[in-house]
């Protein structure tokens, strides 16, 4: 309540507040194509961690477009994203779906696609509690280089600076 009163009448508190324009910061952009998170962020001209922060539902390396998908982008990045997407002449995805054969273990799948078991589990949200099940479709890299691309902000945060020894 106090903050509301100050904002409504800043002079009574001896303050002068800067004007804040009443316009949206975000805009929704629709895509109908599968696209890597990293590629989408690059096409929007923004860091991956900011893109993921605005679009937290996309927590895997690929935005799977079943029909249409809505992306949130800063207003000043939306036009650049759309025009960059139209002009982009390289593959939009570097991942594919793979359904293991009956009885195929996760370590064999990892070897087949040159990815570590830990990374394969991370990408596909497989934990000790949720094991690989029969018929489960996995997301796997198209090439060895794609297996190391970070997929969430936890991979992009800077580590805390070390405190000096005293």
């Amino acid at each position: 309540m106090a903050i509301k009163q100050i904002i409504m009448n800043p002079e009574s508190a001896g303050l002068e507040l800067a004007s804040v324009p009443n316009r949206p910061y975000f805009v929704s952009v629709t895509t109908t194509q599968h696209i890597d998170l990293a590629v989408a962020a690059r096409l929007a001209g923004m860091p991956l961690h900011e893109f993921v922060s605005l679009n937290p539902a996309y927590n895997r390396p690929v935005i799977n477009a079943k029909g249409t998908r809505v992306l949130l982008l800063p207003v000043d990045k939306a036009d650049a994203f759309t025009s960059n997407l139209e002009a982009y002449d390289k593959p939009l995805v570097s991942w594919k779906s793979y359904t293991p054969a009956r009885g195929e273990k996760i370590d064999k799948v990892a070897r087949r696609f040159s990815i570590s078991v830990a990374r394969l589990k991370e990408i596909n949200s497989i934990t000790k509690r949720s094991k690989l099940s029969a018929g489960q479709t996995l997301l796997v890299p198209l090439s060895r280089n794609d297996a190391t691309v970070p997929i969430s902000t936890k991979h992009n945060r800077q580590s805390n600076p070390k405190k000096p020894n005293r």
Side-chain angles (χ1 to χ4, degrees):
M1 288 294 283
I3 292 174
K4 177 184 171 191
Q5 294 300 321
I6 291 171
I7 290 174
M8 289 178 61
N9 189 5
E11 298 83 24
S12 67
L15 297 172
E16 186 177 327
L17 299 178
S19 176
V20 177
N22 186 14
R23 55 181 187 247
Y25 178 75
F26 306 107
V27 65
S28 297
V29 176
T30 304
T31 183
T32 58
Q33 303 173 63
H34 301 307
I35 186 170
D36 285 358
L37 277 178
V39 172
R42 192 169 49 251
L43 294 177
M46 55 193 302
L48 179 60
H49 71 278
E50 286 180 22
F51 184 88
V52 172
S53 293
L54 292 176
N55 298 280
Y58 303 119
N59 56 6
R60 296 181 84 186
V62 175
I63 298 169
N64 189 3
K66 291 180 183 173
T68 60
R69 293 288 186 211
V70 175
L71 305 175
L72 275 184
L73 297 173
V75 170
D76 63 333
K77 305 283 186 186
D79 288 338
F81 174 81
T82 303
S83 62
N84 288 340
L85 181 59
E86 288 174 7
Y88 198 69
D89 62 351
K90 297 177 185 164
L92 292 173
V93 292
S94 55
W95 298 84
K96 65 178 181 177
S97 297
Y98 174 76
T99 305
R102 185 177 183 104
E104 188 174 12
K105 303 287 184 201
I106 193 135
D107 57 331
K108 185 176 178 184
V109 175
R111 276 193 309 277
R112 174 182 291 206
F113 293 99
S114 301
I115 186 172
S116 72
V117 172
R119 180 75 171 132
L120 186 60
K121 285 181 175 182
E122 175 192 17
I123 290 166
N124 290 284
S125 302
I126 298 171
T127 63
K128 289 180 182 179
R129 288 185 153 168
S130 65
K131 300 193 184 261
L132 182 61
S133 58
Q136 179 178 352
T137 300
L138 300 175
L139 192 59
V140 295
L142 287 174
S143 75
R144 185 173 240 264
N145 296 338
D146 301 324
T148 60
V149 174
I151 59 171
S152 71
T153 55
K154 70 181 177 182
H155 298 287
N156 294 307
R157 290 184 186 143
Q158 293 180 358
S159 59
N160 292 333
K162 292 182 181 179
K163 293 181 182 178
N165 293 334
R166 294 184 185 184

